[in-house]
Amino acid sequence: MTPVQASACCRPIDDLLDPELFKALSDPTRSRLLGCLVKCGCACTVSDVGECCAVDLSVVSRHLSLLERAGVVQSRKTGRTVHYVVDYAHLCRTMRAIADAIEQCCPAEQLPGCARGCCGAR
Amino acid sequence: MTPVQASACCRPIDDLLDPELFKALSDPTRSRLLGCLVKCGCACTVSDVGECCAVDLSVVSRHLSLLERAGVVQSRKTGRTVHYVVDYAHLCRTMRAIADAIEQCCPAEQLPGCARGCCGAR
DNA sequence: TGTATATTTGCATTATGGTGCAAGTACGCA
DNA sequence: TGCGTACTTGCACCATAATGCAAATATACA
């Protein structure tokens, strides 16, 4: 199977390798903000999360809303404060689904002990 | 625990949320090239992979070497051709490790049936 | 040794995205 | 109603990165 033929063949990995999700995680500041939220575990206000980083609060606001658009966190507005929480379940599910989808494409000879033979015939 | 306190507390997730890896996966062209390689399963030359995308071959070359620097693929030069292969094991391991690390931080109330109580005391 | 092929590198151009400041909006409270 | 707080948005600036073309490099082969 040539790369061209392979790319024409639809697999779960096609939808899972979503550049938007990875783009959301690709900035150091966002990474820090997310790590902060992940470890905190509770719903945090924009101002609170902002204290983890030495950037303007407007930057924090933009980063958090971008993370929300990417499905990484969720927001809830109460009064004039906005709380952000990590969507743990979605994130974990996505990461594991990516791993599964990649593994599904892995030729058998690279999976010691695996007899699936998904594409090991080559 | 405030976000600031949380961010000061080191967790496995800190090292796993590596912006460099995600940056490598955040470009649509690279995503396509990687998807092509993942589905193909075998070692492909730069030219072969390039046929999956409507970009200059020099662009393909640069993208593949960037993916290699990120640890996503590996290259092997034989003669004047360079073959790229996906590092399936590393990619899968990383994605699952991220999922595990995130789950480890997830408060108990968000993990139905989970009695770990990692940060559920709050 | 000369030529063709595979890939990389230099360079200029263009697009994208992160940042801070200032202003705007939304809301609670006196 | 006026003021303070929490957050968002508009805007300009700057850095980074994606791209294509042309040239360079590396290697195979006649």
Side-chain angles (χ1 to χ4, degrees):
Chain A
M1 181 162 63
T2 69
V4 174
Q5 291 171 322
S7 69
C9 160
C10 288
R11 297 267 189 171
I13 191 68
D14 294 317
D15 293 325
L16 289 166
L17 279 185
D18 174 26
E20 287 310 313
L21 169 64
F22 296 121
K23 197 175 293 179
L25 306 174
S26 70
D27 177 73
T29 305
R30 271 196 300 277
S31 179
R32 183 164 178 79
L33 293 172
L34 178 61
C36 179
L37 270 175
V38 165
K39 291 190 288 182
C40 184
C42 50
C44 302
T45 68
V46 178
S47 311
D48 285 345
V49 186
E51 288 176 23
C52 301
C53 291
V55 292
D56 195 85
L57 207 61
S58 68
V59 173
V60 176
S61 171
R62 268 187 275 252
H63 279 317
L64 289 176
S65 81
L66 192 153
L67 285 172
E68 183 176 29
R69 261 175 284 141
V72 175
V73 301
Q74 291 177 337
S75 74
R76 201 185 50 218
K77 181 167 187 174
T78 54
R80 59 191 161 174
T81 70
V82 179
H83 286 266
Y84 280 94
V85 206
V86 174
D87 191 340
Y88 291 92
H90 177 250
L91 253 186
C92 291
R93 230 184 297 118
T94 304
M95 291 299 167
R96 295 213 171 92
I98 292 171
D100 290 345
I102 290 172
E103 204 165 59
Q104 184 198 326
C105 296
C106 179
E109 68 264 23
Q110 289 194 30
L111 285 176
C114 167
R116 210 172 341 106
C118 42
C119 19
R122 258 168 299 123
Chain B
M1 182 161 63
T2 69
V4 174
Q5 292 172 321
S7 69
C9 159
C10 288
R11 296 267 189 171
I13 191 67
D14 294 316
D15 292 324
L16 290 166
L17 279 186
D18 174 26
E20 287 309 314
L21 168 65
F22 296 119
K23 197 175 293 176
L25 305 174
S26 69
D27 177 74
T29 306
R30 271 198 298 276
S31 179
R32 184 164 176 79
L33 293 172
L34 178 61
C36 180
L37 270 176
V38 164
K39 291 191 287 183
C40 184
C42 50
C44 303
T45 68
V46 177
S47 310
D48 285 346
V49 185
E51 286 175 24
C52 302
C53 292
V55 292
D56 194 83
L57 208 60
S58 67
V59 173
V60 176
S61 171
R62 269 187 274 251
H63 278 316
L64 290 176
S65 81
L66 191 153
L67 285 173
E68 184 177 29
R69 259 175 285 140
V72 174
V73 301
Q74 290 177 336
S75 74
R76 201 185 50 218
K77 182 168 186 175
T78 54
R80 59 188 163 181
T81 69
V82 178
H83 287 265
Y84 279 92
V85 207
V86 174
D87 190 340
Y88 292 92
H90 177 248
L91 254 185
C92 291
R93 232 183 298 121
T94 303
M95 291 300 168
R96 295 214 171 93
I98 293 172
D100 291 345
I102 291 172
E103 204 167 59
Q104 184 198 327
C105 297
C106 179
E109 67 262 25
Q110 288 193 30
L111 285 175
C114 167
R116 206 166 351 98
C118 44
C119 19
R122 259 168 296 123

